[in-house]
């Protein structure tokens, strides 16, 4: 007996398996050892994303999913699929989305091919951002809500992930009341350790590492974006220092945000 799955059917299987492992890895009622399910949850999520990318390419032209169009046998990698979505289909994928996707791909590859030490905070951040991106990408480019293909057993996990991206009033973050939007901005900001100015990369300065008049070493949280010491500021924070000129990022002439948009 043979079972044939379409690209999307296969993608949804990986997605639901990912949400199952996400549930196992995050449920506080389960043993500590269940944290290992974080590994398979991210691996399966990235695999689902890869197949959804290929489905978008296939709908434009089936030949786009193959590495060699003259001998259409082996399909492209997720990195090549992403390039074709941008450069051939001209899809609107932002710089931040692209950097996050590449970070997830690197983590997936490390988990598959190497020994890995799980950083639960980092995994949780990346998983949440990739899931939200996939939700949006699926609706924009496949014309249907991803929710319709998620098993009802995992609707609670889906809701938890999406809720993190909703902006409401105030929440307690790091002992400080901030807009609920800020924790997500802070989480996303941790994925970008450098700024690029005229094709040169500069390592971003974390809160508490400032060596200028703006240094606020006695504070445990940034007075603007509320980030804790040892973390990168949220994008747009008034107090982040430019690593190139040592002025405030929002006021300096290095235009690091413009470079990111470009």
């Amino acid at each position: 007996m043979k079972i044939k799955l379409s690209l999307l059917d296969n993608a949804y299987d990986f997605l639901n398996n990912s949400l199952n492992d996400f549930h196992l890895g995050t449920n506080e009622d389960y043993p500590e050892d269940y944290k290992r399910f974080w590994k398979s949850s991210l691996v399966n999520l990235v695999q689902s994303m890869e197949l959804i990318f290929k489905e978008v390419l296939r709908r434009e032209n089936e030949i786009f999913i193959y590495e060699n169009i003259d001998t259409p046998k082996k399909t492209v990698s997720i990195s090549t699929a992403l390039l074709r979505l941008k450069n051939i289909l001209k899809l609107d994928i932002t710089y931040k989305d692209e950097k996050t996707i590449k970070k997830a791909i690197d983590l997936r590859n490390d988990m598959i091919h190497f020994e890995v030490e799980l950083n639960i905070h980092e995994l949780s951040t990346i998983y949440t951002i990739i899931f939200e991106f996939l939700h949006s990408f699926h609706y924009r480019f496949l014309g249907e809500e991803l929710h319709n293909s998620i098993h009802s057993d995992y609707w609670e996990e889906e809701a938890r992930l999406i809720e993190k991206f909703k902006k409401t009033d105030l929440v307690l973050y790091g002992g400080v009341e901030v807009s609920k939007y800020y924790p997500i901005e802070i989480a996303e900001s941790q994925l970008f350790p450098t700024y690029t100015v005229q094709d040169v990369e500069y390592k971003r300065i974390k809160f508490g590492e400032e060596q200028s008049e703006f240094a606020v070493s006695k504070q445990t949280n940034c007075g603007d974006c509320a980030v804790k010491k040892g973390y990168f500021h949220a994008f747009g924070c008034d107090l982040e220092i430019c690593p190139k000129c040592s002025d405030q990022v929002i006021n300096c002439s290095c235009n690091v945000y413009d470079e990111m948009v470009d």
Side-chain angles (χ1 to χ4, degrees), residues 73-99:
K73 294 181 179 180
K74 186 177 179 181
T75 59
V76 296
S77 67
I78 184 172
S79 299
T80 302
L82 179 61
L83 285 173
R84 291 185 180 181
L85 290 172
K86 288 179 52 187
N87 299 332
I88 298 178
L89 273 59
K90 306 297 184 183
L91 299 191
D92 181 20
I93 298 176
T94 68
Y95 176 83
K96 286 175 65 177
D97 283 340
E98 185 177 358
K99 292 285 283 187

Side-chain angles (χ1 to χ4, degrees), residues 78-136:
I78 184 172
S79 299
T80 302
L82 179 61
L83 285 173
R84 291 185 180 181
L85 290 172
K86 288 179 52 187
N87 299 332
I88 298 178
L89 273 59
K90 306 297 184 183
L91 299 191
D92 181 20
I93 298 176
T94 68
Y95 176 83
K96 286 175 65 177
D97 283 340
E98 185 177 358
K99 292 285 283 187
T100 304
I101 292 166
K102 289 180 178 178
K103 177 70 172 179
I105 294 170
D106 288 343
L107 270 175
R108 189 272 304 268
N109 292 341
D110 286 346
M111 288 175 175
I112 292 175
H113 300 294
F114 303 98
E115 293 182 2
V116 61
E117 181 176 345
L118 299 182
N119 182 322
I120 302 301
H121 173 74
E122 182 181 26
L123 288 174
S124 178
T125 297
I126 294 174
Y127 190 98
T128 303
I129 295 171
I130 287 294
F131 184 85
E132 192 275 341
F133 166 80
L134 203 56
H135 229 271
S136 171

Side-chain angles (χ1 to χ4, degrees), residues 190-233:
Q190 306 315 303
L191 302 178
F192 301 90
T194 62
Y195 284 134
T196 301
V197 181
Q198 296 178 343
D199 297 325
V200 178
E201 284 195 344
Y202 295 87
K203 186 177 179 180
R204 292 178 64 197
I205 299 172
K206 296 178 179 179
F207 175 64
E209 296 180 352
E210 299 86 351
Q211 301 293 325
S212 69
E213 61 181 298
F214 302 108
V216 281
S217 58
K218 293 183 179 180
Q219 294 180 311
T220 58
N221 293 79
C222 172
D224 184 49
C225 72
V227 71
K228 295 179 181 180
K229 275 189 176 181
Y231 288 84
F232 297 117
H233 291 270

Side-chain angles (χ1 to χ4, degrees), residues 245-261:
C245 70
S246 298
D247 200 354
Q248 289 169 284
V249 167
I250 60 168
N251 292 328
C252 73
S253 59
C254 298
N255 300 318
V256 295
Y257 294 143
D258 291 343
E259 293 276 356
M260 290 182 71
V261 172

Side-chain angles (χ1 to χ4, degrees), residues 3-201:
I3 299 175
K4 184 176 181 179
L5 297 177
S6 68
L7 277 173
L8 278 184
D9 288 337
N10 206 7
Y12 300 147
D13 276 353
F14 278 111
L15 177 63
N16 282 294
N17 288 337
S18 173
L19 288 169
N20 176 69
D21 292 343
F22 172 81
H23 168 77
L24 295 174
T26 58
N27 194 309
E28 295 181 356
D29 295 332
Y30 294 154
E32 184 69 18
D33 185 50
Y34 274 43
K35 294 292 190 296
R36 71 183 189 277
F37 285 104
W38 264 112
K39 174 183 174 180
S40 51
S41 69
L42 185 64
V43 169
N44 285 328
L45 185 65
V46 174
Q47 189 63 36
S48 176
M49 179 168 61
E50 177 176 337
L51 294 172
I52 288 174
F53 283 176
K54 290 178 182 179
E55 173 63 14
V56 174
L57 288 172
R58 187 195 66 80
R59 292 189 180 189
E60 181 70 20
N61 190 322
E62 185 170 354
I63 205 68
F64 290 157
I65 70 172
Y66 295 105
E67 280 188 357
N68 189 329
I69 62 174
D70 296 318
T71 55
K73 294 181 179 180
K74 186 177 179 181
T75 59
V76 296
S77 67
I78 184 172
S79 299
T80 302
L82 179 61
L83 285 173
R84 291 185 180 181
L85 290 172
K86 288 179 52 187
N87 299 332
I88 298 178
L89 273 59
K90 306 297 184 183
L91 299 191
D92 181 20
I93 298 176
T94 68
Y95 176 83
K96 286 175 65 177
D97 283 340
E98 185 177 358
K99 292 285 283 187
T100 304
I101 292 166
K102 289 180 178 178
K103 177 70 172 179
I105 294 170
D106 288 343
L107 270 175
R108 189 272 304 268
N109 292 341
D110 286 346
M111 288 175 175
I112 292 175
H113 300 294
F114 303 98
E115 293 182 2
V116 61
E117 181 176 345
L118 299 182
N119 182 322
I120 302 301
H121 173 74
E122 182 181 26
L123 288 174
S124 178
T125 297
I126 294 174
Y127 190 98
T128 303
I129 295 171
I130 287 294
F131 184 85
E132 192 275 341
F133 166 80
L134 203 56
H135 229 271
S136 171
F137 183 90
H138 191 279
Y139 181 77
R140 285 185 293 156
F141 303 116
L142 292 177
E144 185 180 352
E145 291 285 356
L146 186 62
H147 171 79
N148 297 335
S149 299
I150 293 176
H151 194 283
S152 59
D153 288 349
Y154 310 126
W155 285 353
E156 182 177 345
E157 280 67 37
E158 178 192 22
R160 283 170 54 198
L161 289 162
I162 293 176
E163 185 64 27
K164 291 184 179 182
F165 282 83
K166 288 185 178 179
K167 182 179 179 181
T168 57
D169 297 324
L170 296 177
V171 295
L172 194 66
Y173 176 80
V176 180
E177 277 196 338
V178 297
S179 164
K180 200 168 188 176
Y181 179 62
Y182 263 126
I184 299 302
E185 281 292 300
I186 291 170
E188 289 183 334
S189 186
Q190 306 315 303
L191 302 178
F192 301 90
T194 62
Y195 284 134
T196 301
V197 181
Q198 296 178 343
D199 297 325
V200 178
E201 284 195 344

